[in-house]
């Protein structure tokens, strides 16, 4: 009797057939499981406050082509003094007083909307998350490695801009990526883009450059030994063979050691300057951003001039030794 009541109850309360699309829609909402696509952008663009406003306008222009029930905007602005400011709406972000000396390190913008899709009876959540800024310190890179442990996270962290879209409808995802890519490609490139490429190449080949300087000084030492031997040839010929060999070897080692010390000093000087090269400030929202941009450009210019100067000194020493050897 009890079993028959349970059977009757289940038949009255449970639907005979659950529509698969309804089930999938409810599953997406309950489990919050969506597909994700990520694109990286690293063309050294420059971002201003008006550029962010334009991006927001473009995204909402695209949203007007669809029916959406709710929309939310979250913005996080991280400063180089390890402070961060969070905004729960676009109006708060625009109304904030940005006339501050603080320097922006990164900015994260996220739009979350519930889209009504023709094939889905329940609105589906889609989100666009954009992170701009890649000025990571070595400690932050190491922390990211231990925290995540895969290459894609490090690659994202080192890219100037990352766009991540969580979606249910692939076509809508593609449309959003087109909006973001079109906006990014239209941005002006950093005014020092060409110089930054030089800085990036130099910083990436610091060991090669310092080794080259050391080799140039060692070569100068060899040239100096040959020149000294030519000058002292008559004096050395008057000495016994054993004593002559001792004088030549000891004098040669001494000269090589002196030039090795000079080369080590110059290469260390260049290495320190290479490590101080910085990427110019690409986000310009606050007054501090504009000041930091100018300061970094001037600092990099001085460092580059110093590197060229040290390299020319190494070449000049070789040229002088070679010239003296030729005229004797």
């Amino acid at each position: 009797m009890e079993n028959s009541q349970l059977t009757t109850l289940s038949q009255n309360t449970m639907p005979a057939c659950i529509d698969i699309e309804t089930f999938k829609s409810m599953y997406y909402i309950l489990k919050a499981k969506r597909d994700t696509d990520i694109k990286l952008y690293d063309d050294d663009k420059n971002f201003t406050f008006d550029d962010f406003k334009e991006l927001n306008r473009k995204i909402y222009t695209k949203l007007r082509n669809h029916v959406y029930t709710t929309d939310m905007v979250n913005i996080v602005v991280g400063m180089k003094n390890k402070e961060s400011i969070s905004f729960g709406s676009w109006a708060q972000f625009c109304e904030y007083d940005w006339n501050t000396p603080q320097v922006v390190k990164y900015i994260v913008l996220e739009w979350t909307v519930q889209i009504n899709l023709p094939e889905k009876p329940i609105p589906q959540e889609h989100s666009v998350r954009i992170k701009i800024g890649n000025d990571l310190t070595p400690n932050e890179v190491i922390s990211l490695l231990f925290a995540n442990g895969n290459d894609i996270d490090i690659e994202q962290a080192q890219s100037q801009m990352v766009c991540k879209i969580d979606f249910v409808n692939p076509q809508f995802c593609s449309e959003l990526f087109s909006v973001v890519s079109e906006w990014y490609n239209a941005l002006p490139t950093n005014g020092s883009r060409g110089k930054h490429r030089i800085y990036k190449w130099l910083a990436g080949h610091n060991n090669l450059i310092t080794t080259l300087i050391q080799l140039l000084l060692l070569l100068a030492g060899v040239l100096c030994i040959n020149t000294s031997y030519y000058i002292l040839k008559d004096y050395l010929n008057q000495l016994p063979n054993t004593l002559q060999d001792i004088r030549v070897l000891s004098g040669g080692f001494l000269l090589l050691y002196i030039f090795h010390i000079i080369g080590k000093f110059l290469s260390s000087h260049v290495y320190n300057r290479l490590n101080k090269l910085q990427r110019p400030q690409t986000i310009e929202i606050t007054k501090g951003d504009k000041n930091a941009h100018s300061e970094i450009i001037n600092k990099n210019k001085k460092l580059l001039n110093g590197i060229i100067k040290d390299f020319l000194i190494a070449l000049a020493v070789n040229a002088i030794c070679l010239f003296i050897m030729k005229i004797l």
Side-chain angles (χ1 to χ4, degrees):
M1 179 69 177
E2 183 178 355
N3 290 337
S4 63
Q5 288 178 346
L6 289 174
T7 302
T8 304
L9 179 63
S10 63
Q11 290 177 348
N12 293 335
T13 56
M14 295 295 292
C17 180
I18 300 177
D19 179 71
I20 187 63
E21 294 299 326
T22 302
F23 173 79
K24 286 168 63 178
S25 299
M26 292 298 299
Y27 180 81
Y28 282 129
I29 291 178
L30 294 175
K31 300 294 289 184
K33 182 67 176 177
R34 295 164 291 167
D35 293 325
T36 299
D37 199 358
I38 299 173
K39 285 190 178 182
L40 310 181
Y41 302 83
D42 201 9
D43 289 340
D44 199 15
K45 298 289 187 175
N46 198 50
F47 304 87
T48 65
F49 188 78
D50 289 337
D51 294 326
F52 296 128
K53 291 170 66 176
E54 181 185 0
L55 175 61
N56 183 68
R57 181 184 60 79
K58 285 179 175 291
I59 287 179
Y60 274 98
T61 299
K62 176 58 64 176
L63 288 177
R64 291 190 190 100
N65 297 329
H66 301 268
V67 179
Y68 60 95
T69 55
T70 59
D71 64 293
M72 295 181 293
V73 179
N74 292 299
I75 303 167
V76 178
V77 180
M79 303 296 181
K80 287 192 175 180
N81 61 357
K82 297 184 179 180
E83 294 181 1
S84 63
I85 308 172
S86 299
F87 303 94
S89 69
W90 191 261
Q92 292 177 357
F93 174 66
C94 293
E95 294 171 1
Y96 186 80
D97 183 12
W98 294 106
N99 293 323
T100 66
Q102 293 179 314
V103 179
V104 176
K105 185 175 184 178
Y106 66 87
I107 182 170
V108 179
L109 306 107
E110 185 171 12
W111 293 265
T112 303
V113 294
Q114 301 285 342
I115 299 292
N116 290 331
L117 300 174
E119 69 278 12
K120 308 290 184 182
I122 300 174
Q124 304 296 317
E125 184 174 285
H126 294 70
S127 64
V128 182
R129 190 173 190 269
I130 295 176
K131 166 254 173 190
I132 300 171
N134 62 347
D135 188 15
L136 289 179
T137 64
N139 289 335
E140 289 171 331
V141 173
I142 293 173
S143 298
L144 189 61
L145 275 170
F146 281 102
N148 297 283
N150 57 60
D151 294 337
I152 187 63
D153 293 314
I154 299 302
E155 189 177 0
Q156 291 175 28
Q158 292 179 340
S159 296
Q160 185 186 37
M161 188 179 94
V162 179
C163 179
K164 175 184 176 182
I165 298 181
D166 295 324
F167 64 95
V168 175
N169 184 274
Q171 182 179 353
F172 185 59
C173 172
S174 179
E175 292 175 1
L176 290 174
F177 269 130
S178 296
V179 170
V180 175
S181 298
E182 180 182 324
W183 170 79
Y184 182 83
N185 294 331
L187 291 173
T189 56
N190 199 321
S192 58
R193 182 181 182 185
K195 290 183 179 179
H196 170 64
R197 286 182 174 179
I198 296 175
Y199 302 152
K200 189 175 181 180
W201 186 90
L202 289 173
H205 296 81
N206 49 11
N207 291 325
L208 175 64
I209 295 170
T210 53
T211 301
L212 180 59
I213 291 176
Q214 290 181 342
L215 290 176
L216 285 173
L217 268 297
L218 288 177
L219 177 59
V222 173
L223 294 174
C224 187
I225 291 172
N226 283 276
T227 303
S228 300
Y229 180 79
Y230 186 82
I231 294 174
L232 301 173
K233 180 173 61 175
D234 294 337
Y235 166 74
L236 292 172
N237 288 335
Q238 297 175 5
L239 299 175
N241 290 337
T242 304
L243 185 58
Q244 180 179 342
D245 292 340
I246 293 174
R247 294 287 175 84
V248 171
L249 289 174
S250 60
F253 279 122
L254 178 61
L255 285 173
L256 276 179
Y257 180 75
I258 292 173
F259 279 91
H260 168 71
I261 294 299
I262 297 173
K264 189 175 181 180
F265 172 78
L266 280 178
S267 62
S268 176
H269 209 213
V270 170
Y271 188 86
N272 291 333
R273 283 174 168 165
L274 287 170
N275 287 336
K276 291 180 181 179
L277 290 172
Q278 299 180 42
R279 185 171 192 159
Q281 182 73 16
T282 56
I283 302 175
E284 295 186 18
I285 299 178
T286 67
K287 286 188 176 181
D289 293 335
K290 297 178 181 179
N291 295 333
H293 183 80
S294 300
E295 290 174 3
I296 291 173
I297 289 178
N298 293 332
K299 183 179 178 181
N300 284 346
K301 187 182 297 183
K302 291 180 180 179
L303 290 171
L304 182 60
N305 290 337
I307 293 169
I308 294 174
K309 179 183 176 182
D310 290 339
F311 194 80
L312 289 177
I313 289 174
L315 289 175
V317 172
N318 274 272
I320 292 171
C321 293
L322 183 61
F323 176 74
I324 293 174
M325 190 177 70
K326 289 291 184 181
I327 64 176
L328 292 176

